[in-house]
Amino acid sequence: MLITRVLFNRAPKADNFWKRRRVFKLTAHYRGRKRNCYSIAIKYLHRALVYVKKGRKLKKKDAIELWQQRISAGCRELGSSYEALVRGMARCQIALDKKTLANLAIWEPRTFKSLTQIAAAKLRQEPIKGLNDISPPPAGVITRGML
Amino acid sequence: MSNSHMFLPSGFIRTPLQNGLGRYIPQLQRITLKFCKNHGGSRGVRDFIESDLMEFAKTNPGTVVYLKPRRHRSPCMVAEYLNGEREYLSCHEFSRDEVHKWLSYMCTRSGIPVMRFRKYQHTDYPTVQGVWNPFTHQAPEINIAEFPHEVLSRPLDHGPTATEQLIEIFKKTQIEDPANKPPEL
């Protein structure tokens, strides 16, 4: 047998079945020819994969925006503002993230109210220029400055 | 990637009757092993039955084990759970170890079908203080107030009206009459 000709082959011919199978496994839930015809399916799969990549960042961004909106709504009901709450909490060294705050505003409203009051009391002691407080002084909060 | 291509039902994680909170009750009700006494595909199952089955039955006293020797049939196991679900698994050409492992897998499952979990936490009591409703932060006085109310019917950030401002200005311009002043203590 002539081995030299065989040795000239750089790589074996790939089996297309498996390559296409990888694609069809991901397009199984598509409609029509997009599901079963490779050259059509690959186009739609590529678009889907691009959207998946973009969506990872958008999902996080959307979630943060939603939490922020909910916290802001909860604060405004209590006469505070999102900025006042966040900056007051930062000065009190209370490090609660937006997700937790949004969940507290829904499921533990009294805890959320006390957090707004703590932040408001702190800002009353150490006011921030440009941040107006709308509400009257909160009752039931005792700070070190008062004692 | 969206999980639609897996065709799995999705749901939230749960256990039947809060299993494990108090006592853990294995959810496997009965397991049926069907095998052939001669055919080569049942060899693993036959080896398992000869060696490991008694130990398995002793360690799982709540599970009933049925053996069905059927000629010219490929081996299989059928697990039935306390909530009525059935799991079929073909054991054709399995080794003894494989049978043992799949059997212990069936033991640890509850009958809840395999699904994609949307969240890995679940609670029946998400709130201690009570869920927010529009009346949570309202004063209880609104329950007995009659509307239109002098204070409650006003807009929130109203501020003093023009009439009230004029009254305030008028009061400031007034000179205090010493006769009207209360006596100093």
Side-chain angles (χ1 to χ4, degrees), chain A residues 25-26 28-29 45 49 52 77-78 105-111 113 134, chain B residues 1-2 4-5 7 126-134 136-138 157:
Chain A
K25 281 184 89 171
L26 296 170
H29 63 288
L45 181 63
L49 292 170
V52 161
E77 199 203 351
L78 297 162
I106 299 163
W107 301 105
E108 319 286 351
R110 291 190 182 86
T111 308
K113 185 170 181 180
I134 311 154
Chain B
M1 199 70 192
S2 84
S4 316
H5 63 279
F7 298 108
T127 183
V128 169
Q129 295 167 7
V131 188
W132 179 92
N133 59 68
T136 309
H137 297 300
Q138 300 297 328
D157 304 320

Side-chain angles (χ1 to χ4, degrees), chain B residues 26 52-63 65 100 103-104 107:
Chain B
D52 299 325
L53 185 70
M54 292 310 294
E55 199 188 309
F56 171 81
K58 278 173 193 164
T59 48
N60 303 70
T63 309
V65 180
H100 183 76
L103 203 58
S104 43
C107 278

